[in-house]
Amino acid sequence: MSPQAATAEAELEKGITLERHVKEEERKFPQARGVFTTLISQISLAAKIINAEVNKAGLVDILGLTGHTNIQGEEVQKLDTYADEVLRRALDHHGSVAALASEEMDDPYIVSGDYLDDGEYVVVYDPLDGSSNIDVNVSIGSIFSILKRKTTNPEATMEDFLQPGTEQVCAGYVIYGSSTMLVYTAGNSVNGFTLDPSVGEFFLSHPNIKIPPRGKIYSINEGNSGKWDEPVARYIAHLKESDKATGRPYSARYIGSLVADFHRNLLKGGIFLYPGDKANPNGKLRLIYECNPMSFIVEQAGGAASNGRHRIMDIVPGELHQRVPFFVGCKEDVADAERFLSEGLGR
Ligand code: P6P
Protein backbone atom coordinates (compact mmCIF):
# COMPACT_ATOMS: atom_id res chain seq x y z
CA MET A 1 0.00 0.00 0.00
CA SER A 2 1.43 3.41 -0.95
CA PRO A 3 2.20 5.89 1.86
CA GLN A 4 -0.65 8.12 0.56
CA ALA A 5 -3.11 5.22 0.65
CA ALA A 6 -1.90 4.26 4.13
CA THR A 7 -2.50 7.81 5.33
CA ALA A 8 -5.96 7.86 3.79
CA GLU A 9 -6.70 4.50 5.42
CA ALA A 10 -5.55 5.78 8.79
CA GLU A 11 -7.57 8.95 8.33
CA LEU A 12 -10.66 6.92 7.47
CA GLU A 13 -10.15 4.65 10.49
CA LYS A 14 -10.17 7.78 12.66
CA GLY A 15 -13.66 8.70 11.45
CA ILE A 16 -16.76 6.58 10.97
CA THR A 17 -18.85 8.33 8.34
CA LEU A 18 -22.62 8.70 8.68
CA GLU A 19 -23.24 6.36 5.73
CA ARG A 20 -21.03 3.64 7.22
CA HIS A 21 -22.75 3.98 10.60
CA VAL A 22 -26.24 3.71 9.09
CA LYS A 23 -25.16 0.67 7.05
CA GLU A 24 -23.86 -0.99 10.24
CA GLU A 25 -27.10 -0.09 12.03
CA GLU A 26 -29.10 -1.58 9.15
CA ARG A 27 -27.26 -4.89 9.46
CA LYS A 28 -28.84 -5.22 12.92
CA PHE A 29 -32.31 -5.20 11.26
CA PRO A 30 -32.40 -8.18 8.85
CA GLN A 31 -35.49 -6.85 7.08
CA ALA A 32 -33.72 -3.65 6.11
CA ARG A 33 -32.70 -3.56 2.46
CA GLY A 34 -30.33 -0.65 2.15
CA VAL A 35 -33.24 1.76 1.62
CA PHE A 36 -32.45 3.34 4.95
CA THR A 37 -28.86 4.07 4.06
CA THR A 38 -29.83 5.85 0.86
CA LEU A 39 -32.63 7.75 2.63
CA ILE A 40 -30.35 9.07 5.35
CA SER A 41 -27.63 9.84 2.83
CA GLN A 42 -30.09 11.97 0.81
CA ILE A 43 -31.04 13.84 3.99
CA SER A 44 -27.36 14.38 4.82
CA LEU A 45 -26.78 15.67 1.27
CA ALA A 46 -29.62 18.17 1.76
CA ALA A 47 -28.10 19.16 5.11
CA LYS A 48 -24.73 19.90 3.45
CA ILE A 49 -26.41 22.02 0.78
CA ILE A 50 -28.49 23.94 3.32
CA ASN A 51 -25.41 24.34 5.53
CA ALA A 52 -23.51 25.95 2.67
CA GLU A 53 -26.25 28.56 2.26
CA VAL A 54 -26.71 29.12 6.00
CA ASN A 55 -22.98 29.72 6.34
CA LYS A 56 -23.03 32.51 3.78
CA ALA A 57 -26.48 33.85 4.61
CA GLY A 58 -24.95 37.08 5.81
CA LEU A 59 -23.14 37.57 2.52
CA VAL A 60 -25.79 36.80 -0.04
CA ASP A 61 -28.95 38.80 -0.36
CA ILE A 62 -31.19 35.89 0.58
CA LEU A 63 -32.28 37.22 3.92
CA GLY A 64 -35.03 39.37 2.59
CA LEU A 65 -38.58 38.30 3.24
CA THR A 66 -40.37 36.47 0.43
CA GLY A 67 -43.49 38.42 1.18
CA HIS A 68 -45.28 35.08 1.66
CA THR A 69 -46.50 33.69 4.95
CA ASN A 70 -46.62 29.96 5.78
CA ILE A 71 -49.50 28.10 7.47
CA GLN A 72 -48.15 29.35 10.79
CA GLY A 73 -48.85 32.88 9.64
CA GLU A 74 -45.12 33.58 9.96
CA GLU A 75 -43.19 35.67 7.45
CA VAL A 76 -41.34 33.10 5.36
CA GLN A 77 -37.69 34.03 4.96
CA LYS A 78 -36.03 33.01 1.72
CA LEU A 79 -33.79 30.54 3.55
CA ASP A 80 -36.88 28.71 4.87
CA THR A 81 -38.21 28.29 1.36
CA TYR A 82 -34.80 27.34 0.03
CA ALA A 83 -34.27 24.67 2.70
CA ASP A 84 -37.75 23.30 2.06
CA GLU A 85 -37.04 22.94 -1.66
CA VAL A 86 -33.62 21.36 -1.05
CA LEU A 87 -35.11 18.68 1.20
CA ARG A 88 -38.00 18.03 -1.17
CA ARG A 89 -35.69 17.64 -4.17
CA ALA A 90 -33.38 15.39 -2.21
CA LEU A 91 -36.24 13.01 -1.37
CA ASP A 92 -38.95 13.19 -4.04
CA HIS A 93 -37.17 10.94 -6.54
CA HIS A 94 -35.81 8.50 -3.96
CA GLY A 95 -38.28 5.79 -4.95
CA SER A 96 -39.07 4.70 -1.38
CA VAL A 97 -40.60 8.04 -0.34
CA ALA A 98 -44.26 8.23 -1.28
CA ALA A 99 -44.98 11.67 0.19
CA LEU A 100 -43.50 14.54 2.15
CA ALA A 101 -44.94 17.00 4.66
CA SER A 102 -43.27 20.14 5.89
CA GLU A 103 -43.89 23.15 8.08
CA GLU A 104 -43.59 25.20 4.88
CA MET A 105 -46.24 23.26 2.95
CA ASP A 106 -49.94 23.62 3.81
CA ASP A 107 -50.65 20.11 2.47
CA PRO A 108 -48.50 17.01 1.90
CA TYR A 109 -46.48 16.72 -1.31
CA ILE A 110 -47.54 13.45 -2.95
CA VAL A 111 -44.75 11.95 -5.06
CA SER A 112 -45.85 10.99 -8.57
CA GLY A 113 -46.10 7.27 -9.27
CA ASP A 114 -43.46 7.75 -12.02
CA TYR A 115 -40.83 8.15 -9.33
CA LEU A 116 -41.96 5.39 -6.99
CA ASP A 117 -40.40 1.97 -6.48
CA ASP A 118 -41.95 0.59 -3.29
CA GLY A 119 -42.88 4.02 -1.85
CA GLU A 120 -43.01 2.50 1.60
CA TYR A 121 -42.09 5.64 3.60
CA VAL A 122 -43.30 9.18 4.19
CA VAL A 123 -40.95 11.87 5.50
CA VAL A 124 -41.97 14.90 7.57
CA TYR A 125 -39.68 17.81 8.35
CA ASP A 126 -39.25 21.32 9.60
CA PRO A 127 -36.72 22.52 7.02
CA LEU A 128 -35.29 25.42 8.98
CA ASP A 129 -36.36 25.59 12.60
CA GLY A 130 -35.64 28.78 14.50
CA SER A 131 -36.15 30.95 11.43
CA SER A 132 -36.43 34.12 13.54
CA ASN A 133 -32.73 33.65 14.35
CA ILE A 134 -31.54 33.27 10.75
CA ASP A 135 -30.39 36.84 10.24
CA VAL A 136 -28.86 37.34 13.69
CA ASN A 137 -26.38 34.48 13.28
CA VAL A 138 -27.82 32.29 16.04
CA SER A 139 -27.87 28.47 15.64
CA ILE A 140 -30.80 27.12 13.64
CA GLY A 141 -31.66 23.62 12.51
CA SER A 142 -33.58 21.14 10.37
CA ILE A 143 -35.73 18.45 11.97
CA PHE A 144 -36.88 15.24 10.22
CA SER A 145 -38.87 12.11 10.92
CA ILE A 146 -39.45 8.98 8.82
CA LEU A 147 -42.63 6.90 9.03
CA LYS A 148 -43.62 3.69 7.25
CA ARG A 149 -46.83 4.12 5.25
CA LYS A 150 -50.01 2.65 6.69
CA THR A 151 -52.08 2.75 3.46
CA THR A 152 -51.46 0.47 0.50
CA ASN A 153 -53.14 2.38 -2.32
CA PRO A 154 -50.72 3.73 -4.95
CA GLU A 155 -50.69 7.32 -3.65
CA ALA A 156 -50.05 8.17 -0.02
CA THR A 157 -52.86 9.87 1.90
CA MET A 158 -53.14 12.00 5.02
CA GLU A 159 -53.64 8.79 7.03
CA ASP A 160 -49.98 7.96 6.39
CA PHE A 161 -49.00 11.13 8.24
CA LEU A 162 -51.47 11.06 11.15
CA GLN A 163 -49.60 8.34 13.05
CA PRO A 164 -48.47 8.53 16.69
CA GLY A 165 -44.77 9.15 17.30
CA THR A 166 -44.32 5.56 18.42
CA GLU A 167 -44.60 4.60 14.72
CA GLN A 168 -41.48 6.58 13.70
CA VAL A 169 -38.70 4.42 12.24
CA CYS A 170 -36.12 7.18 12.28
CA ALA A 171 -35.83 10.77 13.54
CA GLY A 172 -33.09 13.33 13.59
CA TYR A 173 -32.03 16.93 13.37
CA VAL A 174 -29.23 18.99 11.89
CA ILE A 175 -27.92 21.90 13.91
CA TYR A 176 -26.18 24.66 11.94
CA GLY A 177 -24.12 26.13 14.75
CA SER A 178 -20.46 26.68 15.66
CA SER A 179 -20.11 23.36 13.87
CA THR A 180 -22.74 21.54 11.84
CA MET A 181 -23.97 18.31 13.41
CA LEU A 182 -26.46 15.67 12.41
CA VAL A 183 -28.00 13.72 15.30
CA TYR A 184 -30.28 10.75 14.58
CA THR A 185 -31.87 7.63 16.02
CA ALA A 186 -33.31 4.60 14.25
CA GLY A 187 -34.61 3.19 17.54
CA ASN A 188 -31.37 1.61 18.65
CA SER A 189 -29.41 4.53 20.23
CA VAL A 190 -28.73 8.20 19.50
CA ASN A 191 -25.57 9.15 17.60
CA GLY A 192 -24.14 12.54 16.60
CA PHE A 193 -22.04 13.27 13.52
CA THR A 194 -20.02 16.43 12.94
CA LEU A 195 -19.53 17.79 9.42
CA ASP A 196 -15.90 18.10 8.35
CA PRO A 197 -16.32 20.85 5.75
CA SER A 198 -12.85 20.17 4.33
CA VAL A 199 -14.02 16.80 2.97
CA GLY A 200 -17.81 17.33 3.06
CA GLU A 201 -18.44 14.29 5.26
CA PHE A 202 -20.30 13.79 8.53
CA PHE A 203 -18.05 11.84 10.95
CA LEU A 204 -19.20 10.10 14.14
CA SER A 205 -18.28 12.50 16.96
CA HIS A 206 -20.88 11.74 19.67
CA PRO A 207 -21.52 7.96 19.84
CA ASN A 208 -24.43 6.64 21.91
CA ILE A 209 -25.59 9.96 23.40
CA LYS A 210 -27.29 9.64 26.81
CA ILE A 211 -29.08 12.45 28.69
CA PRO A 212 -28.54 12.53 32.49
CA PRO A 213 -31.52 11.50 34.66
CA ARG A 214 -31.73 15.04 36.08
CA GLY A 215 -30.28 18.38 34.89
CA LYS A 216 -29.67 21.88 36.22
CA ILE A 217 -30.95 23.90 33.23
CA TYR A 218 -34.45 25.00 32.30
CA SER A 219 -35.41 26.54 28.97
CA ILE A 220 -38.63 28.52 28.64
CA ASN A 221 -39.59 31.90 27.21
CA GLU A 222 -39.99 33.88 30.46
CA GLY A 223 -41.59 36.66 28.41
CA ASN A 224 -44.75 34.53 28.36
CA SER A 225 -44.91 34.25 32.18
CA GLY A 226 -47.90 36.61 32.32
CA LYS A 227 -49.89 34.05 30.32
CA TRP A 228 -48.72 30.88 32.09
CA ASP A 229 -51.24 28.64 33.78
CA GLU A 230 -50.76 28.56 37.57
CA PRO A 231 -49.16 25.05 37.73
CA VAL A 232 -46.49 26.04 35.15
CA ALA A 233 -45.75 29.25 37.08
CA ARG A 234 -45.41 27.22 40.29
CA TYR A 235 -43.07 24.73 38.63
CA ILE A 236 -40.77 27.46 37.27
CA ALA A 237 -40.78 29.20 40.68
CA HIS A 238 -39.82 25.82 42.19
CA LEU A 239 -36.81 25.59 39.88
CA LYS A 240 -35.67 29.04 41.03
CA GLU A 241 -35.75 28.18 44.77
CA SER A 242 -32.44 27.40 46.54
CA ASP A 243 -32.14 23.77 47.52
CA LYS A 244 -28.66 22.17 47.31
CA ALA A 245 -30.03 18.63 47.63
CA THR A 246 -31.95 18.96 44.35
CA GLY A 247 -29.41 21.18 42.59
CA ARG A 248 -31.69 24.22 42.65
CA PRO A 249 -31.79 27.00 41.57
CA TYR A 250 -31.47 25.76 37.97
CA SER A 251 -29.82 28.00 35.37
CA ALA A 252 -32.04 29.61 32.74
CA ARG A 253 -30.87 29.06 29.17
CA TYR A 254 -33.10 29.99 26.21
CA ILE A 255 -31.88 30.47 22.65
CA GLY A 256 -35.26 30.55 20.93
CA SER A 257 -34.30 27.82 18.44
CA LEU A 258 -35.81 24.49 19.45
CA VAL A 259 -32.96 22.51 17.86
CA ALA A 260 -30.28 24.55 19.69
CA ASP A 261 -32.05 24.49 23.07
CA PHE A 262 -32.83 20.79 22.72
CA HIS A 263 -29.27 19.89 21.62
CA ARG A 264 -27.67 21.70 24.58
CA ASN A 265 -30.04 20.02 27.07
CA LEU A 266 -29.51 16.61 25.42
CA LEU A 267 -25.75 16.86 25.96
CA LYS A 268 -25.70 18.71 29.32
CA GLY A 269 -29.04 17.78 30.87
CA GLY A 270 -32.04 19.99 31.48
CA ILE A 271 -35.70 20.53 30.61
CA PHE A 272 -37.16 22.52 27.71
CA LEU A 273 -40.73 23.75 28.05
CA TYR A 274 -43.09 25.28 25.56
CA PRO A 275 -46.33 24.90 27.55
CA GLY A 276 -49.84 25.82 26.59
CA ASP A 277 -50.92 29.11 28.14
CA LYS A 278 -53.97 31.35 28.47
CA ALA A 279 -53.46 32.72 24.94
CA ASN A 280 -52.39 29.47 23.22
CA PRO A 281 -53.71 26.42 25.10
CA ASN A 282 -51.77 24.06 22.80
CA GLY A 283 -48.52 26.00 22.91
CA LYS A 284 -46.59 26.76 19.73
CA LEU A 285 -44.64 23.68 18.64
CA ARG A 286 -45.88 21.23 16.04
CA LEU A 287 -46.48 17.60 17.02
CA ILE A 288 -45.62 15.73 13.84
CA TYR A 289 -42.43 17.39 12.59
CA GLU A 290 -41.02 19.07 15.73
CA CYS A 291 -42.14 17.35 18.95
CA ASN A 292 -42.34 13.72 17.75
CA PRO A 293 -38.82 13.56 16.26
CA MET A 294 -37.29 15.27 19.31
CA SER A 295 -39.28 12.95 21.59
CA PHE A 296 -38.02 9.83 19.78
CA ILE A 297 -34.45 11.07 20.15
CA VAL A 298 -34.74 12.05 23.81
CA GLU A 299 -36.40 8.76 24.80
CA GLN A 300 -33.69 6.78 23.00
CA ALA A 301 -31.15 8.86 24.98
CA GLY A 302 -32.89 7.96 28.27
CA GLY A 303 -35.00 11.09 28.67
CA ALA A 304 -38.74 11.84 28.42
CA ALA A 305 -41.17 14.01 26.46
CA SER A 306 -44.68 14.93 27.53
CA ASN A 307 -47.48 17.37 26.81
CA GLY A 308 -47.66 17.89 30.56
CA ARG A 309 -49.89 14.89 31.16
CA HIS A 310 -49.25 12.28 28.46
CA ARG A 311 -46.25 10.89 26.61
CA ILE A 312 -45.89 12.90 23.41
CA MET A 313 -45.29 9.81 21.24
CA ASP A 314 -48.61 8.25 22.32
CA ILE A 315 -50.66 11.18 20.96
CA VAL A 316 -52.58 10.29 17.78
CA PRO A 317 -52.46 13.42 15.57
CA GLY A 318 -55.78 14.89 14.47
CA GLU A 319 -54.29 17.15 11.82
CA LEU A 320 -50.96 17.70 10.07
CA HIS A 321 -49.89 20.98 11.68
CA GLN A 322 -51.32 20.23 15.11
CA ARG A 323 -49.64 22.04 18.02
CA VAL A 324 -49.01 20.46 21.44
CA PRO A 325 -47.63 21.71 24.74
CA PHE A 326 -44.07 20.38 24.94
CA PHE A 327 -42.01 19.36 28.01
CA VAL A 328 -38.83 17.52 26.99
CA GLY A 329 -35.52 16.57 28.60
CA CYS A 330 -34.27 14.67 31.65
CA LYS A 331 -36.69 11.99 32.81
CA GLU A 332 -36.81 13.19 36.45
CA ASP A 333 -37.30 16.83 35.42
CA VAL A 334 -40.17 16.00 33.06
CA ALA A 335 -41.74 13.85 35.80
CA ASP A 336 -41.49 16.79 38.23
CA ALA A 337 -43.18 19.11 35.72
CA GLU A 338 -45.97 16.56 35.14
CA ARG A 339 -46.48 16.32 38.91
CA PHE A 340 -46.94 20.07 39.20
CA LEU A 341 -49.40 20.06 36.32
CA SER A 342 -51.39 17.08 37.60
CA GLU A 343 -51.63 18.67 41.09
CA GLY A 344 -52.70 21.94 39.41
CA LEU A 345 -55.29 20.12 37.29
CA GLY A 346 -56.54 18.22 40.31
CA ARG A 347 -57.46 21.51 42.05
P1 P6P B 1 -40.76 31.95 21.09
C1 P6P B 1 -38.70 29.08 16.39
O1 P6P B 1 -39.53 30.02 15.74
C2 P6P B 1 -39.58 28.11 17.14
O2 P6P B 1 -40.48 27.49 16.28
C3 P6P B 1 -38.71 27.09 17.86
O3 P6P B 1 -37.54 26.81 17.19
C4 P6P B 1 -38.45 27.76 19.20
O4 P6P B 1 -38.25 26.83 20.25
C5 P6P B 1 -39.72 28.57 19.43
O5 P6P B 1 -40.31 28.80 18.15
C6 P6P B 1 -39.43 29.91 20.07
O6 P6P B 1 -40.68 30.56 20.26
O7 P6P B 1 -42.23 32.20 21.21
O8 P6P B 1 -40.10 31.69 22.42
O9 P6P B 1 -40.00 32.95 20.26
Side-chain angles (χ1 to χ4, degrees), residues 215-218 236-253:
K216 291 192 171 52
I217 289 171
Y218 74 98
I236 299 300
H238 166 77
L239 295 180
K240 293 176 177 175
E241 289 166 358
S242 282
D243 176 52
K244 269 205 178 354
T246 52
R248 288 178 290 149
Y250 280 20
S251 295
R253 295 285 183 275

XYZ file of all heavy atoms in Angstrom, residues 215-218 236-253:
173
model
N -31.196 17.316 35.330
C -30.282 18.381 34.888
C -30.294 19.543 35.847
O -30.835 19.461 36.955
N -29.702 20.656 35.413
C -29.670 21.876 36.224
C -30.007 23.093 35.351
O -29.659 24.222 35.687
C -28.274 22.060 36.843
C -27.896 21.051 37.921
C -26.625 21.513 38.644
C -26.307 20.671 39.881
N -26.292 19.220 39.588
N -30.614 22.829 34.184
C -30.948 23.901 33.230
C -32.439 23.822 32.915
O -32.986 22.727 32.758
C -30.121 23.714 31.928
C -28.636 24.041 32.158
C -30.675 24.599 30.800
C -27.739 23.661 30.974
N -33.071 24.986 32.830
C -34.446 24.998 32.302
C -34.511 26.032 31.177
O -33.814 27.060 31.215
C -35.487 25.288 33.397
C -35.554 26.731 33.872
C -36.510 27.614 33.365
C -34.660 27.213 34.825
C -36.581 28.932 33.811
C -34.712 28.535 35.264
C -35.672 29.391 34.758
O -35.730 30.701 35.190
N -41.950 26.626 37.575
C -40.768 27.458 37.267
C -40.265 28.143 38.549
O -39.041 28.195 38.804
C -41.108 28.499 36.181
C -41.531 27.802 34.872
C -39.912 29.424 35.933
C -40.493 26.880 34.260
N -41.198 28.585 39.395
C -40.782 29.203 40.677
C -40.024 28.169 41.517
O -39.005 28.463 42.147
C -42.018 29.698 41.431
N -40.487 26.930 41.460
C -39.821 25.816 42.186
C -38.381 25.663 41.712
O -37.458 25.492 42.525
C -40.626 24.533 41.934
C -39.941 23.261 42.316
N -39.843 22.837 43.629
C -39.288 22.316 41.559
C -39.177 21.684 43.665
N -38.845 21.345 42.429
N -38.169 25.769 40.424
C -36.809 25.588 39.876
C -35.881 26.730 40.311
O -34.665 26.573 40.360
C -36.845 25.516 38.346
C -37.577 24.329 37.730
C -37.506 24.413 36.199
C -37.005 22.992 38.225
N -36.480 27.871 40.662
C -35.666 29.044 41.034
C -35.337 29.078 42.526
O -34.510 29.883 42.967
C -36.407 30.333 40.648
C -36.562 30.512 39.123
C -37.381 31.760 38.802
C -37.494 31.999 37.308
N -38.386 33.140 36.980
N -36.019 28.200 43.314
C -35.745 28.182 44.769
C -34.367 27.585 45.024
O -33.873 26.784 44.224
C -36.801 27.319 45.485
C -38.182 27.932 45.533
C -39.224 26.882 45.929
O -38.839 25.695 46.120
O -40.408 27.242 46.013
N -33.743 27.981 46.175
C -32.439 27.400 46.540
C -32.651 26.124 47.326
O -33.347 26.122 48.342
C -31.665 28.399 47.410
O -31.124 29.387 46.575
N -32.075 25.040 46.806
C -32.141 23.769 47.521
C -30.995 22.892 47.020
O -31.104 22.272 45.954
C -33.492 23.075 47.286
C -33.501 21.696 47.960
O -33.175 21.632 49.165
O -33.757 20.701 47.265
N -29.887 22.873 47.765
C -28.661 22.168 47.308
C -28.975 20.705 46.976
O -28.535 20.174 45.964
C -27.593 22.223 48.416
C -26.661 23.433 48.313
C -25.309 23.158 48.969
C -24.269 24.316 48.877
N -24.636 25.462 48.068
N -29.799 20.087 47.800
C -30.033 18.632 47.626
C -30.590 18.315 46.235
O -30.300 17.270 45.657
C -31.016 18.150 48.700
N -31.359 19.242 45.672
C -31.947 18.957 44.349
C -31.349 19.858 43.269
O -31.938 20.044 42.212
C -33.486 19.164 44.385
O -33.739 20.471 44.940
C -34.174 18.091 45.238
N -30.140 20.416 43.605
C -29.412 21.182 42.589
C -30.095 22.471 42.165
O -29.820 22.985 41.079
N -31.027 22.962 42.999
C -31.693 24.217 42.655
C -31.002 25.392 43.327
O -30.390 25.201 44.363
C -33.172 24.148 43.100
C -34.021 23.220 42.244
C -35.450 23.188 42.785
N -35.522 22.501 44.071
C -36.418 22.814 45.007
N -37.240 23.820 44.838
N -36.451 22.135 46.135
N -31.043 26.599 42.774
C -31.791 27.000 41.567
C -31.128 26.489 40.290
O -29.902 26.419 40.205
C -31.769 28.524 41.621
C -30.496 28.856 42.334
C -30.309 27.757 43.350
N -31.981 26.144 39.298
C -31.474 25.764 37.973
C -31.029 27.037 37.257
O -31.459 28.143 37.608
C -32.584 25.093 37.153
C -32.848 23.629 37.459
C -32.446 23.033 38.650
C -33.525 22.828 36.539
C -32.709 21.694 38.913
C -33.803 21.489 36.789
C -33.375 20.932 37.984
O -33.631 19.609 38.244
N -30.206 26.859 36.217
C -29.816 28.002 35.365
C -30.818 28.134 34.232
O -31.253 27.120 33.679
C -28.432 27.762 34.760
O -27.477 27.723 35.789
N -31.140 29.362 33.869
C -32.044 29.613 32.739
C -31.207 29.747 31.462
O -30.209 30.468 31.443
C -32.840 30.897 32.967
N -31.543 28.955 30.473
C -30.865 29.062 29.172
C -31.943 28.983 28.099
O -32.662 27.982 28.035
C -29.876 27.914 28.973
C -28.673 27.906 29.946
C -27.662 28.972 29.567
N -26.471 28.932 30.443
C -26.402 29.541 31.625
N -27.470 30.231 32.085
N -25.293 29.469 32.367
